[in-house]
Amino acid sequence: MRGGDLARLALRNLREARLRNALTTVGIAVGAASLVAMLSVGVGLQHFARRRLARAGLFNSIVVTRKMNLRGYGRAYRFGKTAAGAPTRPLDQAARLQLEHLPGVLAVYPQVRFLSLVRYAGKSYTTLIAGVPPAARSGGSFSGLIGKYYSSPDAAQAILQMKFARVLNPHPRQLLGKTLTLRYAERQPLPARPGSGGAAGFAIIPKTQPLRIVGLAPRAPVFGLSGFFRGRVFLPQQLAEHLQIAQYSSLRDLVNGQGKGRNYGNLNVVTRGPGRVLPVEQAIKKMGFRAFSLMDATRRLRLVFALFDLLLGIFGSLALTVASLGIVNTLAMALLERRREIGILKALGAADGVVQRLFLAEAAVMGVVGGLAGVLLGRLLAALLNWGTNDYLARRHLPHVSIAQVPWWLGLGALAFALAVSLLAGWYPARRAARLDPVEALRYE
Amino acid sequence: MPEENPNHAPALSVTGLCREYARGASRVRALDGVTLAVGRGEFLALVGASGSGKSTLLNLMAGLDRPTAGSIVAEGRDLAALSSDELAHYRNAVVGMVFQAFNLLPRMTLEENVELPLRLAGCEPARRAELVRAALARVGLESRAAHRPGELSGGEQQRGAIARALVLRPRILLADEPTGNLDSRTALEILDLMNELRRDSGATIVMVTHEQHLAERYAGRIARLRDGRLESLDVRA
Ligand SMILES: Nc1ncnc2c1ncn2[C@@H]1O[C@H](COP(=O)(O)OP(=O)(O)O)[C@@H](O)[C@H]1O
Ligand SMILES: [Mg+2]
């Protein structure tokens, strides 16, 4: 028999015991819908968490620091000698360039953060200044920014944290376009004395830098592992670096006698995606530095989500499995009612396989129709869930969240699962129908 | 009206046919060593008391059942040697069946019922429509094509069943008490129709009946069964 004929016959048979078949199909639909709705919450939450963390730059950041020579200290202590360990590699300009050229690396920047004096409208404030790496903006760290972002990576412009802006002016928006003055200390190495190895020290020279206020950040921006969330005044990274702040790591470099050129306490490495973090991290360690990323924490998070999904999936499938019992029941009843019909079909030349396929086709139709309706119903449930959640969040002035999501693969997967479960449930009645003895079925009572 | 049709190669040849049923611990012999040949184009009547094994024999000839012992050769096929699927094909292509209960599918129209064997044969839709129309015209039911069996009289239902049995032009027509549910006038109409079709197509008919006068009127030979055995085989003059 042709496939189309089989489907048409199956559909026509299903139209007969309309109520029963409709109820069975509704059962499948509810099962599929519960599966979709449950998993949509899993997907939504996971998506939400991942985007939040990825936005914050946590998933593709590595913090690189210099190795500490602990062994050297240990020996020195035990044998009373001066430090003797092999010198560790400094985190200098050459290292930064090398890091920038590692495959998979998007950007390398030092964390620039320092206390400084800020003058505005004749008053002075001591506050924390932070450099903002270029990647931070696309990462969404400054979502909700009032005003403008920096016009260039080294522009003499500042973005103020809202709380600090309110300290300067109770109407912060009036600050936009105004200028404040940064007073800072610049370190300048003293010329080396003849015969000695490194710089002899440095002079600290007071300087000022005017900054145009271009933007206000209502929320504390977050980016990268070390972050700059406690900053009050945000400067473009290059400008901040250029200011050559006397950071306290330089002191240590000086003591170690390696104060040549620029040295960094740590460097943030941003990779081209979370997938590049591990290989880059390994390459950095091979270079002789310490590297730290959140990949381990992420892995655990993924495990939690996988278990969460599994749990939701089990609950969802349970409903579908119960619904599949409906198919078994419906087809078994149909088998009882249609014994004679099966006998007639066989007498007219239907092979066992045809009878079996006919019953399976009926199960498949119920599975597909129920599955489709279930996916739509599941989407509706997910939408309701989102609506309800966001209504709740909106009342508390919290941002919109897509708590339940039905990606195409979830819909398709649920449909395929509904079909598979239906076919599985239809298999036994179909087999029974195929094996029915036609003489027995046709006996005239 | 009965015709003598001396046959060379029989359409159906049954040898030492036995069919046992297990009933609890004991065994019932529904058919006990029947040997019989039915010639091409012959009209054979199977008569006998109720429970004598007529339906059992007919079902074995139809390939709906398999014998416990003995052999059936139908149109050159040894049915015992056929697989289940081959037997299904034999029922579809070689045999047409008519029952006392008509056995039309009640939820399908007459047209759809007649189309069923064609669907099972994998016939193209266009050709199907043509063959269905021809078969319904042949039994005089063109105007009833869209009716469901419940809307037809017994005689019309049986004519529809005959159209369905003959739509694939089978070589053998097997009928189990085809007039059992019909009044005597309609019964004669049905048997006239079957006999005409046999003469037109040269098909072989084996008909079970318990009405002696119908057997005598239409059949060339009458085989009488008793307790699963062939009691007599009368040739009608
Ligand atoms: N499936 C079966 N199980 C047990 N006995 C059966 C079965 N089918 C038929 N019989 C027995 O076989 C005998 C012949 O039956 P059947 O061929 O239907 O008789 P007829 O058609 O001549 O009235 C009867 O005694 C009947 O009870
Ligand atoms: Mg009988």
Side-chain angles (χ1 to χ4, degrees):
Chain A
M1 186 144 64
R2 289 151 173 267
D5 276 347
L6 202 68
R8 230 162 291 139
L9 262 182
L11 271 172
R12 134 154 250 140
N13 286 336
L14 285 176
R15 277 206 301 264
E16 299 309 339
R18 212 173 283 220
L19 181 66
R20 185 173 66 211
N21 291 324
L23 286 177
T24 307
T25 307
V26 166
I28 298 284
V30 169
S34 86
L35 183 67
V36 167
M38 290 256 186
L39 285 180
S40 77
V41 172
V43 170
L45 284 179
Q46 197 164 343
H47 198 85
F48 173 69
R50 202 176 278 164
R51 208 179 42 192
R52 260 296 159 90
L53 296 174
R55 260 197 165 188
L58 291 180
F59 276 4
N60 48 6
S61 285
I62 303 167
V63 175
V64 182
T65 52
R66 196 174 156 175
K67 261 190 185 161
M68 290 215 271
N69 203 342
L70 290 173
R71 253 182 35 207
Y73 291 130
R75 270 199 209 120
Y77 174 77
R78 242 180 280 151
F79 302 109
K81 287 182 195 165
T82 47
T88 62
R89 184 162 175 193
L91 206 53
D92 54 14
Q93 200 59 34
R96 181 174 179 177
L97 273 174
Q98 200 184 343
L99 287 171
E100 270 169 2
H101 285 100
L102 283 177
V105 170
L106 189 66
V108 180
Y109 60 88
Q111 187 195 337
V112 183
R113 200 148 52 124
F114 55 94
L115 271 174
S116 177
L117 265 180
V118 166
R119 281 190 71 82
Y120 179 78
K123 281 191 190 166
S124 285
Y125 307 86
T126 301
T127 193
L128 197 59
I129 316 291
V132 177
R137 193 192 186 189
S138 58
S141 298
F142 283 100
S143 62
L145 179 77
I146 295 164
K148 285 194 199 120
Y149 199 68
Y150 311 116
S151 57
S152 75
D154 58 356
Q157 295 170 344
I159 293 174
L160 303 186
Q161 196 235 22
M162 189 57 95
K163 254 191 209 159
F164 181 63
R166 285 216 176 88
V167 173
L168 298 186
N169 187 331
H171 306 289
R173 276 169 192 275
Q174 293 175 356
L175 290 169
L176 292 173
K178 302 273 164 53
T179 302
L180 55 72
T181 309
L182 190 68
R183 300 175 59 116
Y184 67 101
E186 185 172 294
R187 142 185 97 93
Q188 278 186 356
L190 294 172
R193 274 178 307 206
S196 82
F202 54 83
I204 292 178
I205 298 167
K207 288 214 158 191
T208 58
Q209 167 76 48
L211 296 165
R212 223 164 76 87
I213 301 167
V214 293
L216 303 168
R219 281 191 289 272
V222 176
F223 187 79
L225 280 181
S226 36
F228 43 83
F229 31 90
R230 270 188 237 104
R232 297 282 192 241
V233 177
F234 305 105
L235 307 184
Q237 177 72 19
Q238 272 190 36
L239 175 69
E241 278 189 55
H242 183 73
L243 291 176
Q244 288 218 326
I245 308 309
Q247 291 191 80
Y248 103 116
S249 61
S250 333
L251 264 175
R252 201 164 62 201
D253 294 338
L254 190 78
V255 171
N256 287 349
Q258 287 164 338
K260 288 170 232 136
R262 184 104 164 74
N263 272 280
Y264 303 99
N266 62 50
L267 283 172
N268 281 339
V269 173
V270 180
T271 66
R272 292 180 195 280
R276 312 298 286 265
V277 165
L278 275 179
V280 170
E281 205 178 333
Q282 266 160 3
I284 292 170
K285 281 178 180 158
K286 223 174 265 168
M287 281 169 64
F289 297 113
R290 287 206 313 183
F292 172 74
S293 75
L294 265 190
M295 272 323 255
D296 277 335
T298 319
R299 228 176 274 139
R300 199 156 308 142
L301 192 71
R302 276 189 199 147
L303 181 70
V304 169
F305 272 126
L307 287 175
F308 188 54
D309 277 352
L310 187 70
L311 220 66
L312 290 171
I314 286 172
F315 279 121
S317 320
L318 218 62
L320 201 54
T321 309
V322 171
S324 77
L325 292 179
I327 286 199
V328 176
N329 176 57
T330 297
L331 288 182
M333 297 238 321
L335 176 65
L336 282 178
E337 280 171 14
R338 281 154 55 190
R339 282 171 60 85
R340 189 161 201 90
E341 177 189 321
I342 294 163
I344 294 168
L345 283 175
K346 285 192 164 189
L348 296 179
D352 293 1
V354 170
V355 175
Q356 182 169 354
R357 281 200 292 278
L358 187 61
F359 268 70
L360 280 179
E362 287 174 31
V365 168
M366 288 193 270
V368 168
V369 172
L372 275 174
V375 170
L376 290 179
L377 193 64
R379 288 194 67 136
L380 198 71
L381 283 176
L384 274 175
L385 215 61
N386 280 334
W387 180 79
T389 313
N390 283 308
D391 189 52
Y392 177 88
L393 289 176
R395 274 164 211 262
R396 278 149 191 80
H397 304 289
L398 289 166
H400 180 97
V401 169
S402 206
I403 196 112
Q405 288 183 14
V406 185
W408 66 268
W409 56 263
L410 179 55
L412 211 67
L415 183 61
F417 191 58
L419 176 60
V421 164
S422 303
L423 285 177
L424 208 68
W427 192 83
Y428 176 69
R431 191 102 195 105
R432 290 265 312 263
R435 290 192 169 160
L436 194 70
D437 176 10
V439 174
E440 201 67 42
L442 284 171
R443 176 159 292 135
Y444 180 60
E445 286 105 15
Chain B
M1 247 193 283
E3 277 167 61
E4 199 37 90
N5 213 345
N7 40 79
H8 311 288
L12 275 163
S13 164
V14 167
T15 316
L17 202 62
C18 290
R19 179 64 169 100
E20 285 183 357
Y21 290 107
R23 191 179 279 165
S26 65
R27 297 180 76 79
V28 180
R29 273 216 160 171
L31 224 50
D32 190 4
V34 172
T35 299
L36 175 73
V38 189
R40 292 233 161 92
E42 190 183 347
F43 194 137
L44 179 89
L46 275 177
V47 299
S50 181
S52 57
K54 307 182 293 292
S55 294
T56 304
L57 178 56
L58 204 76
N59 288 334
L60 285 168
M61 287 173 166
L64 278 173
D65 195 9
R66 288 180 185 273
T68 311
S71 80
I72 312 162
V73 178
E75 290 293 334
R77 294 168 173 79
D78 180 3
L79 296 192
L82 297 187
S83 72
S84 160
D85 283 359
E86 286 167 336
L87 218 50
H89 178 256
Y90 163 78
R91 294 196 296 267
N92 185 239
V94 182
V95 176
M97 287 196 89
V98 179
F99 305 90
Q100 177 176 1
F102 318 135
N103 280 344
L104 293 170
L105 296 189
R107 285 140 181 175
M108 289 188 176
T109 63
L110 187 55
E111 204 169 27
E112 288 170 319
N113 266 286
V114 176
E115 197 184 7
L116 264 179
L118 300 170
R119 283 194 186 210
L120 290 168
C123 221
E124 280 172 34
R127 178 144 176 70
R128 285 200 314 235
E130 190 184 311
L131 287 171
V132 168
R133 213 175 306 123
L136 284 176
R138 186 68 193 78
V139 299
L141 283 179
E142 308 102 303
S143 60
R144 303 298 214 162
H147 288 248
R148 293 197 175 202
E151 299 157 2
L152 302 173
S153 72
E156 285 171 328
Q157 286 191 54
Q158 197 59 303
R159 264 148 65 202
I162 289 169
R164 185 178 67 182
L166 296 179
V167 70
L168 273 170
R169 299 181 195 288
R171 301 301 309 141
I172 301 167
L173 181 63
L174 302 174
D176 196 344
E177 311 221 20
T179 60
N181 281 359
L182 302 174
D183 61 71
S184 53
R185 236 189 64 195
T186 313
L188 292 181
E189 274 173 34
I190 290 296
L191 291 184
D192 282 340
L193 176 62
M194 281 172 58
N195 211 16
E196 263 173 51
L197 291 168
R198 177 184 65 94
R199 271 187 301 212
D200 293 353
S201 65
T204 309
I205 293 183
V206 178
M207 177 182 76
V208 170
T209 184
H210 58 263
E211 291 175 89
Q212 185 69 26
H213 71 280
L214 289 180
E216 282 170 10
R217 183 161 176 180
Y218 290 97
R221 286 190 300 165
I222 299 173
R224 184 174 299 279
L225 289 182
R226 188 196 185 93
D227 295 336
R229 287 208 178 82
L230 188 63
E231 191 186 46
S232 66
L233 193 57
D234 304 339
V235 179
R236 303 285 307 151

